[in-house]
């Protein structure tokens, strides 16, 4: 049976276990980080129970899987380092940011069962670094949630309209979910007042930010180990602002008065020279293309 433990009870239960940090002050969660609670399954989390627990704690937000090879946020490292260096290593680690303070969840073995411990963080505090592709991409890890249907093609296990094709020089992600209400383009945009132009550009900017979040969920968060950024870094303005479409870009598109085939929402050159581009038709078709030099 699963039990949600209050913080005081949690500390009591784990006071003699490997969950407790070593005596060194460096191992203790710093600042405003605190244990938020825990859920225990004496026989392990079977079926979909684990994700039911995550959803019950995270609400409508999206849990993002932590990448052991990704950039390490200091607030996260101070929690995880003692656990990763112990004999009772975490099985899975996630974070969620769609709340006042981020939550970190850590799935650990406990006897013959499992326990998931939640930590509330003051912030996800890594400093921005240049986007980089990991040198070694192992298909069994990267495409864990996909089924290989040919030598170069993969289809998501739960969403058949989410696909990936892989060649020596390119990784191409596509998500096709046609929208019955296509994005509108006003042929008279160039003749509007500055106030009306500004309002329309802001509307498009909001829509394209939503499309970007859809691409992150579909492409970045359905794979593992491709990039050095953790999934949540892609959402942070201080990390992505140099690569995102700008209001000026949108105004130039609208001024033409003609629907473009694609709108590039995100475009970056990675440290190794690779190009990463995320595009939308505005009508339900999304794609991310990684091109090697």
């Amino acid at each position: 049976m699963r039990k949600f433990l209050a913080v005081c009870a949690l500390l009591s239960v784990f006071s003699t276990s490997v969950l407790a940090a070593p005596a060194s002050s460096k191992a203790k969660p710093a600042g405003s980080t605190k244990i938020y609670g825990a859920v225990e399954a004496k026989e392990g989390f079977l079926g979909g129970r684990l994700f039911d627990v995550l959803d019950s704690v995270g609400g409508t937000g999206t849990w993002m899987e932590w990448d052991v090879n990704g950039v390490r946020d200091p607030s996260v490292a101070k929690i995880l380092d003692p656990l990763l260096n112990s004999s009772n290593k975490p099985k899975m680690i996630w974070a969620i940011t769609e709340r006042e303070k981020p939550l970190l969840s850590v799935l650990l073995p406990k006897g013959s069962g499992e326990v998931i411990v939640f930590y509330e963080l003051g912030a996800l505090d890594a400093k921005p670094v240049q986007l980089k592709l990991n040198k070694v991409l192992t298909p069994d890890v990267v495409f864990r949630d996909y089924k290989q249907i040919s030598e170069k093609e993969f289809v998501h296990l739960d969403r058949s309209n989410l696909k990936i094709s892989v060649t020596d020089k390119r990784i191409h992600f596509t998500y096709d979910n046609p929208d019955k209400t296509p994005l509108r383009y006003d042929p008279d945009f160039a003749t509007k007042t500055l106030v009306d132009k500004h309002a329309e550009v802001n509307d498009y900017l909001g829509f394209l930010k939503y499309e970007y979040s859809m691409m992150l969920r579909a492409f970045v968060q359905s794979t593992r180990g491709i990039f050095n950024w953790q999934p949540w870094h892609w959402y942070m303005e201080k990390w992505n602002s140099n690569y995102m479409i700008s209001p000026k870009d949108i105004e130039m598109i609208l001024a033409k008065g003609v629907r473009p085939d694609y709108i590039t929402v995100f475009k970056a050159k990675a440290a190794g020279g690779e190009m990463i581009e995320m595009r939308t038709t505005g009508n339900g078709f999304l794609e991310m293309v990684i091109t090697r030099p």
Side-chain angles (χ1 to χ4, degrees), residues 181-205:
T181 307
L183 191 61
R184 180 183 61 83
Y185 287 87
D186 188 345
D188 299 322
F189 175 83
T191 65
K192 292 187 174 183
T193 67
L194 289 177
V195 172
D196 288 342
K197 285 181 179 179
H198 181 72
E200 193 158 340
V201 167
N202 278 342
D203 287 344
Y204 276 83
L205 185 61

Side-chain angles (χ1 to χ4, degrees), residues 279-291:
R279 309 194 305 176
T280 176
T281 62
N283 192 30
F285 182 83
L286 309 172
E287 70 174 4
M288 179 172 76
V289 182
I290 302 170
T291 308

Side-chain angles (χ1 to χ4, degrees), residues 74-105:
S75 60
V76 174
K78 287 177 181 178
I79 293 170
L80 295 183
D81 283 351
L83 300 175
L84 293 170
N85 292 325
S86 75
S87 59
N88 198 50
K89 299 183 187 302
K91 292 183 174 182
M92 298 286 286
I93 301 160
W94 301 269
I96 193 168
T97 60
E98 294 146 302
R99 59 194 311 277
E100 185 177 351
K101 291 185 178 181
L103 276 184
L104 186 75
S105 60

